[in-house]
Amino acid sequence: MPRLLLFRGSPRSNIEEVERWNKELEKYCDVMCVRYASEFEAYEYARGYFLNHKEYDYFVIATDDIVVTPKDVKQLRDDLEAVDYPVLSGLMNVDEEDYKDQWGNLNITYELATKDRRIRFYNWVKFNELPVEDIFQVMFAGFGLTAIRRDVIEEPGFNFASDGIFRGTGVEHGASLDLVFCWWCMEHKDENGNPNRIPIFVDQRINMHHLRTHGFSQVGEKNKMVEINGKEYPFGYV
């Protein structure tokens, strides 16, 4: 059975529908919440923790506005036990009005949005456009219970920093971390410099509720801290 570290970067930490499930998720995996830190800071901290704890096989990302239930984590774990996917993600609605709407947008696309944010457009897959297969390949999956295999996380030069992929200094080069990651997977090269794209898969049986407009950021208002399986530590302690 693969060992999962579920990481939740949680600048809000105040969406009750999300928070109340975290304890239940511990039955299937270890849960690490990095609270009240900036997004990049939280992701890099959690990645460092994962790298230092070799007992974990997958680094699993779920943002703090997605309702993740035990059945979602169990399905993910079962999938990864059957096939050691390099990247496997669940589904979620993009905007709140999309949830359970047949014409609603999902967090996946079959092509990558451009790196230039001035003309960036996501051609979202709609719920009624899903294929018959439970598990299928995409080019982009927004971080929605996204499992990344250890060897991918350990790649030399891997990080969640946009300036590592989106070259330049202007605002047009900004991007969300999930888009940066998917571009990195698409442009990945082997040790000899040859193209070696890392495929990204999704399981449509993992379909979660994204509470995009709920809660509010508490970054700068509360001290950064880390919570692992319900036990609290000062930021930087573990």
Side-chain angles (χ1 to χ4, degrees), residues 11-232:
R12 286 168 280 206
S13 298
N14 51 23
I15 305 177
E16 194 277 333
E17 299 96 320
V18 173
E19 295 291 326
R20 69 186 182 91
W21 285 109
N22 284 337
K23 186 66 178 176
E24 293 297 314
L25 301 181
E26 295 170 17
K27 298 175 183 177
Y28 299 93
C29 64
D30 288 344
V31 180
M32 179 184 200
C33 297
V34 179
R35 301 190 184 277
Y36 318 124
S38 66
E39 183 183 37
F40 173 70
E41 191 174 30
Y43 276 66
E44 281 297 280
Y45 184 92
R47 175 176 176 266
Y49 180 89
F50 176 85
L51 291 175
N52 289 329
H53 289 77
K54 305 296 184 181
E55 66 269 27
Y56 297 116
D57 302 301
Y58 280 88
F59 184 66
V60 183
I61 302 171
T63 57
D64 72 342
D65 57 358
I66 307 170
V67 180
V68 181
T69 65
K71 69 176 179 60
D72 299 319
V73 176
K74 184 178 184 303
Q75 182 65 60
L76 183 73
R77 191 181 66 176
D78 290 348
D79 290 343
L80 297 173
E81 184 178 24
V83 178
D84 62 341
Y85 296 99
V87 182
L88 179 65
S89 183
L91 297 179
M92 61 182 178
N93 50 295
V94 174
D95 295 313
E96 294 204 36
E97 61 268 23
D98 295 325
Y99 185 58
K100 291 189 175 180
D101 183 342
Q102 289 294 312
W103 293 95
N105 293 326
L106 297 168
N107 63 314
I108 55 172
T109 66
Y110 291 123
E111 62 279 319
L112 280 172
T114 178
K115 294 181 181 182
D116 188 339
R117 69 181 303 176
R118 295 171 300 182
I119 56 172
R120 185 173 301 149
F121 172 77
Y122 290 86
N123 188 17
W124 302 113
V125 174
K126 298 184 184 302
F127 188 82
N128 59 10
E129 296 173 338
L130 288 171
V132 296
E133 298 86 2
D134 290 326
I135 298 176
F136 56 98
Q137 194 169 342
V138 297
M139 291 293 288
F140 172 81
F143 287 152
L145 203 62
T146 302
I148 307 172
R149 201 171 59 200
R150 172 168 288 277
D151 62 304
V152 177
I153 294 288
E154 289 180 340
E155 278 274 340
F158 177 95
N159 60 57
F160 289 107
S162 61
D163 63 354
I165 300 168
F166 294 79
R167 306 296 180 183
T169 58
V171 67
E172 66 272 15
H173 298 281
S176 60
L177 297 184
D178 47 14
L179 181 60
V180 169
F181 173 71
C182 292
W183 266 102
W184 183 84
C185 288
M186 200 268 284
E187 296 180 335
H188 180 260
K189 293 179 173 56
D190 65 19
E191 59 185 11
N192 296 316
N194 299 313
N196 185 29
R197 182 165 64 90
I198 297 171
I200 298 171
F201 297 87
V202 295
D203 186 338
Q204 63 174 294
R205 293 169 294 188
I206 306 172
N207 192 356
M208 299 161 293
H209 193 182
H210 180 201
L211 302 174
R212 186 172 186 174
T213 63
H214 284 54
F216 55 89
S217 175
Q218 301 187 83
V219 176
E221 298 179 10
K222 290 192 174 184
N223 292 330
K224 292 176 288 188
M225 52 88 68
V226 179
E227 183 181 298
I228 302 176
N229 292 340
K231 187 173 181 180
E232 297 181 0

